[in-house]
Amino acid sequence: MPFENIKGHEVNLRGLKNIIDSDRIPPSMLFYGKEGIGKRMVAMEFVKICLCGSKIESRDSFFSDEKNEGRCAGCESCRMFDSGVHPDFLSVDLSFQAAILGKKTSEQKSIGIDAIREAVKFANLKPSFCAKKFIIVNDCEKMTLEAQNSLLKTLEEPYEGTNIILISSSANQILPT
C-alpha cells in the first residue's frame, strides 16, 4: 500500500491520496512544517506514486483495501525513480546546485539562481516517460531572493504537465505568490 512506511501525517496523507485518486494534481504545492518531520519523504513518495506505471494501468483507485492491490510490482517508472534516474523528476537542493557548479555540497549555503534556472529549463521540457513530471525544491527557504524571483513566474504560470513541490521548514521566509 502506498505511504505504508510513513508514520504520522494521517490527515495530510489522506489529502494526498484524494489528490492522486482524483488525478487532479495541483501544478504547485508547498509542504511545510517543522524541520525533521518527514516532509521530503512524504513528497518523494507522493511523486513516486504519481509517476508509477501500475497506477496508470489500473485505472482504479491505487489505494485499495485489498491485500495485494494498490502495490506496484516494480514497474519501470518506479525502478528508475528508486535508482535516481527518472527522466521526469528533478530534485533541487544544495547537492544539485553543487553538482551543476562543480563544487562541494558542503560549500553551498543557499540555492542560487543558476540551480533555479536549470530547474526552469527542465520545467519547460515535455515529460519524456510519463504524462507528468515533477520538480521538488527541498529547503526552498534557502533560495536566494534572486532565485525565488526566477522561480516565481514558473510557479504562477506553470508549463503544461509540470508539477512543482516546494518543501520548507520556514514558509514565512519565501516570497508569497
Side-chain angles (χ1 to χ4, degrees):
M1 188 77 101
F3 295 124
E4 67 186 5
N5 295 325
I6 298 174
K7 306 299 179 218
H9 304 285
E10 286 83 11
V11 173
N12 296 329
L13 294 178
R14 199 172 319 116
L16 292 174
K17 289 175 184 179
N18 289 337
I19 288 171
I20 292 167
D21 279 345
S22 71
D23 200 29
R24 295 177 135 189
I25 302 165
S28 56
M29 301 170 77
L30 173 63
F31 289 28
Y32 70 94
K34 294 179 184 175
E35 192 167 330
I37 63 169
K39 299 176 296 292
R40 186 174 189 280
M41 181 173 54
V42 170
M44 293 290 284
E45 185 71 9
F46 174 73
V47 170
K48 181 179 177 180
I49 293 166
C50 290
L51 295 174
C52 178
S54 295
K55 175 192 168 290
I56 294 166
E57 292 169 8
S58 73
R59 295 188 187 220
D60 292 326
S61 174
F62 197 59
F63 300 98
S64 172
D65 290 331
E66 300 284 329
K67 187 171 185 177
N68 292 327
E69 290 186 32
R71 293 183 185 267
C72 176
C75 70
E76 188 173 0
S77 181
C78 287
R79 286 193 309 269
M80 288 189 296
F81 189 87
D82 288 341
S83 298
V85 295
H86 200 292
D88 295 325
F89 173 68
L90 179 65
S91 180
V92 178
D93 56 14
L94 297 177
S95 297
F96 171 75
Q97 178 169 280
I100 64 170
L101 296 177
K103 297 184 178 184
K104 295 179 182 178
T105 302
S106 60
E107 296 172 354
Q108 307 304 305
K109 302 299 180 223
S110 61
I111 300 172
I113 194 164
D114 292 331
I116 297 304
R117 283 182 178 151
E118 288 300 314
V120 170
K121 284 180 195 175
F122 177 82
N124 197 22
L125 301 172
K126 290 185 179 186
S128 60
F129 190 78
C130 296
K132 295 182 179 286
K133 66 180 169 183
F134 289 83
I135 299 170
I136 289 180
V137 181
N138 195 34
D139 295 327
C140 68
E141 71 275 6
K142 292 183 179 177
M143 285 189 294
T144 63
L145 188 59
E146 187 178 45
Q148 289 184 47
N149 280 319
S150 179
L151 185 61
L152 201 56
K153 182 175 186 222
T154 303
L155 287 172
E156 291 173 345
E157 299 172 22
Y159 299 105
E160 184 72 29
T162 299
N163 303 82
I164 301 172
I165 299 175
L166 302 175
I167 301 174
S168 177
S169 297
S170 304
N172 60 347
Q173 292 183 1
I174 56 177
L175 293 175
T177 178

